[in-house]
C-alpha cells in the first residue's frame, strides 16, 4: 500500500459495564472492550478485525468472549473458492424470477430467518467520549511528531528505571442443537413408526429409483453400458457447475417486469452521488428499523443514521496495487426501477470486504434481500480480488453459534472462525463440534500455541499527549506517579504489537 498520510487516534474505555444483548435480549449480559476512533487507517482496522474487533460508526468494540452471554466469533469466507449452496441458488433464482415476471413471493421461508447479514453492534452511544483537541491539530503536525518521536532504546537510556512498576431462560442450557431445531422428544404411546415395517421413503426418491431401473433395463436390452460418459454431463451437473456470477448475471428477457441496478457509492458528503441519494437512504433506513426491528422513530432519525452508518473513522486511501475504487467505507445501493430498495454498508480493506450493515424496504422482505446482498458482496469481493490479489476474503461480521438464527453465516463456505485466544483462523468445520458443547471455546486446539503478536513491552505503545506523539515509556517519565499502566497494558494486549506501535492512544 501507499504510505499512509494519516494516523489512527483512539480513546480506550475498557469493558466493565454490561449492556443489552441484541441476540438473547439479556439486559446486562453483553460485555465488550470499547474504543472511540477519531480517525483510522484501513490497515489498522484490518489488523484490528483480525484480532476480533469490529466497528459501529466510530465506536470500535471487541466482545469479552469468556464473559459475554452470546460469544461472537469473527467469521470470514474465502470468496474465490465460494460455491453457492442449493439454498443460495434458490434465492438467486427467486430474485431473477421476480425481475423477469414481477412475481413477489408471499410468506416463503428460505431457511435463513434473519435476513440482515449484520448483527446489532455494541452500545448506541458511549458517554465517556471526551471532546479532544485532535480536530484542531493538523495531521501534518502529528506526522512531524511521529517522525521526531524518540525510540524506546533512547528513552531507556535517558529514563533509567523511571517507568512505573508494575440470555433468556431458553438459552441457559450450554449444549445447543447444531441445526437450531429443538431436540426430538419420545413419541406418545400408540404413536410413531411401526418397527415391523420398513421406514418411509420420499416419493421423489422412489420416482428416481424407478426411473433409474427403467433406464438400466433399456440399456441392458440394447447392450449399452450403464456407465454415463464423462463427456455428457447431465442437466443437474450443468446447474452445479454454474458460477455465482452466472446466476447473478443471468440474462433476462426484454419484456422483464423490473430493472435492478447496483451502485457503489463512497460515504462522502462531498460526493454528488452520495448527497443526491442521502435523504432517500435515510427514509429507507427509518422504515426498515421500525418495521423489522421495532425501533421508535426517535431511535432511527437522521442523526442516528448519520452516526451509525455514515460517520466512519476510516480514511479513504488509494494504492497502486489496490482496487480501482480504493479503500474506505461505501454504500452499495440496490436501485429497483429508479428507487432505492436496499443498501449494504461495507468497508473495503487491504485483504477483505467487511460487511457492516444492511437495510431494505420491508415490502420486499420475501425476496431474502439480506442473503442476496451477501451473495452480491461475495461476487464483488471476487471482482476486487482480480484487481488486488491479496483482497480475497469476505467478512460477515460475527458468528454466534449459541444464537440459532445467526448460524446461517456458517453456510457461506469455505469459511473460517477466528480463535479468540491465539488469533489464528480455523476452518468452521473443525470449530462446530467444540461450539456444540460449550458457548465459549478455544478454537485452536494446539495447546502450545499462543498470541504471536502480543506486545511484550508496553513502553513501546504510542500515545498522543498534549498534541505530542511519544512512546508510553516517555509519557510515564513526563507523568511521574501515573497509575494508568494496567489500562494501557490491557489495551496493548487487545490490539496487538502491530497496532500498539502504530495507533496513537490518547492520554489526557
Amino acid at each position: 500500500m501507499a504510505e499512509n498520510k494519516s494516523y489512527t487516534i483512539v480513546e480506550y474505555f475498557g469493558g466493565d459495564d454490561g449492556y443489552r444483548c441484541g441476540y438473547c435480549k439479556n439486559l446486562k449480559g453483553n460485555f465488550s472492550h470499547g474504543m472511540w476512533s477519531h480517525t483510522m487507517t484501513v490497515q489498522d482496522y484490518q489488523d484490528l478485525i483480525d484480532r476480533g474487533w469490529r466497528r459501529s460508526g466510530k465506536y470500535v468494540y471487541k466482545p469479552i468472549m469468556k464473559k459475554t452471554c452470546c460469544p461472537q466469533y469473527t467469521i470470514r469466507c474465502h470468496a474465490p473458492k465460494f460455491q453457492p449452496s442449493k439454498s443460495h441458488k434458490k434465492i438467486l433464482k427467486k430474485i431473477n424470477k421476480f425481475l423477469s415476471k414481477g412475481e413477489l413471493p408471499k410468506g416463503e421461508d428460505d431457511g435463513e430467518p434473519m435476513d440482515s447479514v449484520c448483527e446489532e453492534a455494541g452500545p448506541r452511544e458511549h458517554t465517556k467520549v471526551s471532546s479532544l483537541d485532535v480536530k484542531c491539530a493538523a495531521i501534518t503536525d502529528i506526522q512531524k511528531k511521529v517522525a521526531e518521536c524518540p525510540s524506546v532504546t533512547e528513552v531507556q537510556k535517558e529514563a533509567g528505571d523511571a517507568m512505573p512498576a508494575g440470555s433468556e431462560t431458553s438459552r441457559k442450557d450450554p449444549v445447543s442443537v447444531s441445526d437450531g431445531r429443538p431436540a426430538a422428544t419420545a413419541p406418545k404411546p400408540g404413536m410413531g413408526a411401526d418397527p415391523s415395517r420398513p421406514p418411509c421413503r420420499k416419493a421423489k426418491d422412489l420416482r428416481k429409483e424407478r426411473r433409474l431401473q427403467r433406464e438400466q433395463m433399456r440399456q441392458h436390452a440394447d447392450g449399452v453400458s450403464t456407465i454415463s460418459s464423462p463427456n455428457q454431463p447431465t442437466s443437474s451437473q450443468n446447474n452445479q457447475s454454474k458460477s455465482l456470477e452466472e446466476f447473478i448475471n443471468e440474462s433476462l428477457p426484454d419484456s422483464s417486469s423490473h430493472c435492478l441496478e447496483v451502485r457503489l457509492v463512497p460515504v462522502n458528503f462531498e460526493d454528488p452521488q452520495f448527497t443526491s441519494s442521502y435523504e432517500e437512504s435515510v427514509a429507507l433506513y427509518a422504515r426498515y428499523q421500525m418495521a423489522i426491528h421495532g425501533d421508535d422513530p426517535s431511535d432511527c432519525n437522521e442523526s442516528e443514521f448519520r452516526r451509525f452508518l455514515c460517520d466512519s473513522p476510516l480514511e479513504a486511501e488509494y494504492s497502486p496495487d489496490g482496487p480501482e475504487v480504493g479503500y474506505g467505507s461505501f454504500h452499495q445501493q440496490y436501485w429497483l426501477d429508479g428507487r432505492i430498495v436496499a443498501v449494504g454498508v461495507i468497508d473495503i480493506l487491504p485483504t477483505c470486504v467487511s460487511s457492516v450493515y444492511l437495510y431494505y424496504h420491508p415490502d420486499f422482505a420475501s425476496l431474502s434481500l439480506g442473503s442476496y446482498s451477501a451473495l452480491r458482496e461475495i461476487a464483488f469481493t471476487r471482482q476486487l480480488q482480480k484487481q488486488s490479489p491479496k483482497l480475497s476474503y469476505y467478512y460477515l461480521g460475527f458468528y454466534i453459534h449459541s444464537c440459532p438464527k445467526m448460524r446461517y453465516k456458517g453456510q457461506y463456505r469455505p469459511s473460517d472462525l477466528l480463535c479468540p485466544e491465539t488469533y489464528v483462523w480455523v476452518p468452521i468445520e473443525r470449530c462446530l463440534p467444540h461450539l456444540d458443547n460449550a458457548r465459549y471455546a478455544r478454537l485452536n486446539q494446539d495447546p502450545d500455541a499462543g498470541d504471536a503478536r502480543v506486545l511484550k513491552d508496553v513502553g513501546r505503545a504510542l500515545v498522543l499527549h498534549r498534541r505530542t506523539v511519544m512512546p508510553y515509556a516517555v509519557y510515564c517519565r513526563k507523568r511521574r506517579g501515573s497509575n494508568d499502566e494496567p489500562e494501557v497494558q490491557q489495551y496493548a494486549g487487545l490490539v496487538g504489537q502491530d497496532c500498539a506501535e502504530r495507533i496513537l492512544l490518547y492520554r489526557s
Side-chain angles (χ1 to χ4, degrees), residues 8 38 58 65 126 129 146 152 184 197 287 317 376 381 388 402 417 422 441 443:
T8 297
H38 296 269
K58 290 189 174 184
M65 300 290 278
H126 206 295
V129 178
V146 171
V152 174
R197 301 181 63 181
R287 189 165 188 171
E317 296 181 26
R376 293 289 303 233
T381 305
S388 180
S402 58
L417 298 184
T422 62
L443 303 179

Side-chain angles (χ1 to χ4, degrees), residues 352-374:
C352 77
V353 170
S354 175
S355 176
V356 178
Y357 200 67
L358 173 86
Y359 55 98
Y360 55 83
H361 198 296
D363 288 353
F364 300 97
S366 60
L367 288 175
S368 307
L369 292 177
S371 303
Y372 179 68
S373 68

Side-chain angles (χ1 to χ4, degrees), residues 24-293:
C24 70
K25 312 307 179 185
N26 187 322
L27 294 179
K28 292 289 184 180
N30 204 347
F31 291 85
S32 65
H33 300 281
M35 298 189 297
W36 185 264
S37 176
H38 296 269
T39 181
M40 181 171 287
T41 68
V42 292
Q43 184 60 59
D44 284 339
Y45 186 51
Q46 178 73 71
D47 290 343
L48 286 174
I49 62 174
D50 285 338
R51 292 183 66 86
W53 293 84
R54 188 155 177 80
R55 77 174 185 89
S56 172
K58 290 189 174 184
Y59 184 74
V60 187
Y61 65 102
K62 174 181 169 65
I64 303 178
M65 300 290 278
K66 291 184 178 181
K67 190 176 181 181
T68 193
C69 54
C70 297
Q72 302 157 57
Y73 298 85
T74 302
I75 182 172
R76 72 178 186 183
C77 169
H78 199 293
K81 297 181 180 179
F82 171 79
Q83 288 293 334
S85 66
K86 186 176 180 180
S87 64
H88 295 148
K89 294 174 184 177
K90 180 181 177 183
I91 292 168
L92 293 167
K93 291 177 181 178
K94 179 167 60 175
I95 293 287
N96 288 336
K97 183 177 180 181
F98 166 72
L99 294 176
S100 61
K101 299 182 179 180
E103 298 178 8
L104 193 64
K106 297 180 180 179
E108 196 169 324
D109 182 13
D110 61 13
E112 294 185 356
M114 187 174 182
D115 250 336
S116 176
V117 299
C118 293
E119 61 288 327
E120 194 170 325
R124 287 288 178 108
E125 292 184 16
H126 206 295
T127 57
K128 295 182 182 178
V129 178
S130 64
S131 55
L132 290 185
D133 57 358
V134 172
K135 294 181 180 179
C136 301
I139 292 297
T140 52
D141 293 340
I142 295 178
Q143 284 180 297
K144 292 178 181 178
K145 296 297 183 181
V146 171
E148 298 167 359
C149 178
S151 67
V152 174
T153 306
E154 294 171 348
V155 172
Q156 289 173 338
K157 289 180 180 178
E158 296 177 6
D161 57 355
M163 290 181 62
S167 154
E168 296 176 337
T169 56
S170 61
R171 303 185 189 278
K172 290 182 179 178
D173 184 0
V175 180
S176 55
V177 182
S178 60
D179 60 0
R181 295 191 295 266
T185 57
K188 296 179 180 179
M191 304 291 289
D194 185 348
S196 64
R197 301 181 63 181
C200 295
R201 301 175 62 190
K202 291 184 177 180
K204 181 174 66 174
D205 295 335
L206 292 172
R207 288 195 299 271
K208 282 184 178 180
E209 184 175 303
R210 286 196 294 268
R211 188 163 56 248
L212 179 60
Q213 288 174 348
R214 287 197 299 269
E215 181 67 17
Q216 289 175 339
M217 290 175 64
R218 185 188 65 77
Q219 292 178 345
H220 181 71
D222 296 341
V224 180
S225 171
T226 58
I227 301 176
S228 301
S229 170
N231 297 325
Q232 297 176 348
T234 64
S235 59
S236 62
Q237 288 173 328
N238 285 329
N239 186 54
Q240 181 67 26
S241 62
K242 287 180 67 174
S243 68
L244 172 62
E245 288 77 9
E246 287 174 320
F247 277 104
I248 292 175
N249 300 321
E250 183 176 320
S251 59
L252 300 174
D254 295 335
S255 59
S256 294
S257 300
H258 300 289
C259 176
L260 178 66
E261 180 187 0
V262 181
R263 304 176 187 173
L264 184 72
V265 181
V267 180
N268 183 351
F269 284 93
E270 296 181 0
D271 183 89
Q273 270 193 302
F274 182 77
T275 54
S276 64
S277 60
Y278 180 74
E279 291 186 2
E280 188 174 352
S281 291
V282 173
L284 178 63
Y285 168 75
R287 189 165 188 171
Y288 169 81
Q289 291 295 128
M290 290 187 287
I292 304 299
H293 294 295

